[in-house]
């Protein structure tokens, strides 16, 4: 059966059908899916039939799968590759923990997964296991086309600049009371502001809520520039949202786009979302348990 690709925006996002991704795929089909993902940046898959194990197995067509950091009260799943993007605790109840809620609220800011890590994330695959009865979408923003359309003076201004990213910076923006000095002590990662997306050869703006400062630039000026670029990328012509029913999945390329969780009343409705994440093969180092490594020192600082 031929794979069908239905574009969502002219240059960005596509709904894909015509292939059963819950079963092992032959190499040609896997390659075709990788090529579709490279071209469109975000793909939407309906009624996948995936469970935890086949979700992780399918993820491997894109490369090395990152392990999720452990949650304080333990994981809900047996696969160490699954990030818990739900609002549900281990007992199956809606989370009643302000810190976890702030973390989820942080997801509603435009961001790039793991940009606070030296080892960047490439694809994220978010599978819906349970959806609220009304809209609770994910939003996506096309950071490649937005770069293409930037006025030439802005392209010149940002070429060669680097940003410092920190997880705790975005959490502060989401309402967690870290001070600037406390955040200074946490781990940061430095990445070029303009990045060439290897799968398409196109440039993209590598920004988002974890980006805290521009290297070598006055703090306020750097933040103004980051805010200006985020506002540019998230203009309506570059964005779309997708709703979920159980079994639906979105795949986004963190080296091509920004994303954010949509608004819904997380205290009233269950939303069970599970994510796998691919390690950027261009990042330095060896495949391994990288997110866990990053949070280990942070937890020690937080605990100490
Ligand atoms: C994520 C994320 C968005 C959503 O899991 O990284 O940003 O809609 N999720 O849950
Ligand atoms: Mn995310």
């Amino acid at each position: 059966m031929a794979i069908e690709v239905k574009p969502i925006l002219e240059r960005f996002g596509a709904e894909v059908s015509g292939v059963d991704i819950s079963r092992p795929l032959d190499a040609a089909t896997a390659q075709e899916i990788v090529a579709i993902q490279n071209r469109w940046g975000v793909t939407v898959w309906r009624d996948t039939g995936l469970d935890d194990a086949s979700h992780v197995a399918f993820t491997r067509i894109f490369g090395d799968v990152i392990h999720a950091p452990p949650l304080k009260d333990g994981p809900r799943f047996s696969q160490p590759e699954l990030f818990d993007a739900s609002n549900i605790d281990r007992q199956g109840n809606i989370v009643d923990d302000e810190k976890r809620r702030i973390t989820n609220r942080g997801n509603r800011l435009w961001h790039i997964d793991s940009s606070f890590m030296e080892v960047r994330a490439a694809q994220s695959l978010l599978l819906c296991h349970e959806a609220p009865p009304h809209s609770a979408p994910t939003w996506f923003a096309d950071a490649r086309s937005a770069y293409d359309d930037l006025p030439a003076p802005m392209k010149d201004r940002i070429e060669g600049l680097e940003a410092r990213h920190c997880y705790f910076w975005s959490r502060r923006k989401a309402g967690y009371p870290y001070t600037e000095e406390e955040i200074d002590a946490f781990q940061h990662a430095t990445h070029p502001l303009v990045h060439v997306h290897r799968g398409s050869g196109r440039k993209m703006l590598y920004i988002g809520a974890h980006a805290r400062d521009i290297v070598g630039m006055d703090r306020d000026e750097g933040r103004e520039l980051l805010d200006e670029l985020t506002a540019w990328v998230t203009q309506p012509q570059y964005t779309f949202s997708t709703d979920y029913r159980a079994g639906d999945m979105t795949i986004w390329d963190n080296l091509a786009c920004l994303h954010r969780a949509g608004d819904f009343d997380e205290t009233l409705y269950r939303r069970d979302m599970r994510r796998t994440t691919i390690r950027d093969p261009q990042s330095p180092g060896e495949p391994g348990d990288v997110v866990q490594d990053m949070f280990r020192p942070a937890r020690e600082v937080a605990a100490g």
Side-chain angles (χ1 to χ4, degrees):
M1 196 159 60
I3 299 182
E4 201 181 315
V5 178
K6 248 200 273 168
I8 297 169
L9 300 180
E10 206 177 303
R11 294 177 283 183
F12 180 58
E15 196 159 316
V16 184
S17 57
V19 56
D20 181 358
I21 57 173
S22 70
R23 293 160 179 274
L25 300 170
D26 60 67
T29 305
Q31 250 176 37
E32 194 177 341
I33 293 171
V34 170
I36 292 167
Q37 186 65 31
N38 280 333
R39 165 150 188 209
W40 293 101
V42 177
T43 53
V44 178
W45 304 74
R46 300 294 178 195
D47 201 13
T48 58
L50 291 170
D51 57 18
D52 287 346
S54 53
H55 178 188
V56 174
F58 171 69
T59 302
R60 295 195 197 289
I61 72 166
F62 295 102
D64 293 319
V65 185
I66 292 171
H67 283 201
L71 294 175
K72 202 175 65 205
D73 61 346
R76 287 196 299 134
F77 333 112
S78 47
Q79 276 79 7
E81 294 90 350
L82 289 174
F83 286 66
D84 194 349
S86 78
N87 62 340
I88 298 167
D89 68 18
R90 254 185 113 174
Q91 286 71 43
N93 302 313
I94 291 179
V95 284
D96 192 19
D97 169 354
E98 183 58 12
K99 257 197 212 168
R100 178 90 177 269
R101 279 211 212 107
I102 288 173
T103 299
N104 285 352
R105 230 175 292 144
N107 262 350
R108 295 185 186 179
L109 304 171
W110 287 105
H111 67 278
I112 291 176
D113 291 335
S114 298
S115 73
F116 47 82
M117 305 273 306
E118 279 306 325
V119 174
R120 295 178 307 185
Q123 319 296 335
S124 288
L125 297 84
L126 186 66
L127 177 64
C128 176
H129 287 250
E130 187 178 351
H134 53 75
S135 176
T138 310
W139 284 86
F140 300 100
D142 182 358
R144 290 181 298 186
S145 301
Y147 175 85
D148 291 343
D149 298 349
L150 273 179
M154 181 58 103
K155 283 185 179 164
D156 291 343
R157 181 175 174 210
I158 63 178
E159 190 64 35
L161 293 182
E162 294 180 319
R164 295 180 77 231
H165 299 245
C166 182
Y167 174 80
F168 299 93
W169 174 242
S170 63
R171 268 44 200 168
R172 174 178 151 112
K173 290 196 216 172
Y176 202 85
Y178 293 116
T179 65
E180 292 271 2
E181 292 70 31
E182 280 170 323
I183 297 170
D184 285 341
F186 287 121
Q187 187 173 324
H188 290 61
T190 301
H191 300 295
L193 207 53
V194 178
H195 158 80
V196 179
H197 177 253
R198 193 160 67 163
S200 62
R202 298 175 66 191
K203 288 184 173 176
M204 66 89 80
L205 289 165
Y206 196 81
I207 51 177
H210 307 303
R212 186 179 181 209
D213 294 306
I214 303 286
V215 176
M217 200 179 274
D218 170 78
R219 203 159 234 187
D220 291 339
E221 194 189 339
R223 288 176 186 173
E224 226 167 84
L225 176 58
L226 288 167
D227 288 347
E228 186 181 347
L229 292 172
T230 302
W232 178 267
V233 174
T234 57
Q235 294 178 92
Q237 68 267 34
Y238 304 123
T239 60
F240 70 89
S241 68
T242 301
D243 270 304
Y244 301 88
R245 290 199 205 171
D248 294 349
M249 180 170 70
T250 53
I251 309 177
W252 62 85
D253 188 336
N254 288 290
L255 301 172
C257 69
L258 275 64
H259 67 282
R260 71 177 190 87
D263 296 314
F264 76 102
D265 189 340
E266 64 192 347
T267 63
L268 277 187
Y269 300 103
R270 297 159 59 84
R271 184 171 184 265
D272 188 349
M273 310 295 283
R274 307 179 192 181
R275 198 189 92 204
T276 52
T277 313
I278 293 292
R279 177 188 194 283
D280 169 22
Q282 285 178 284
S283 285
E286 295 297 318
D289 208 358
V290 288
V291 173
Q292 197 155 317
D293 287 348
M294 130 100 203
F295 278 93
R296 199 169 291 127
R299 274 202 313 277
E300 280 158 15
V301 172

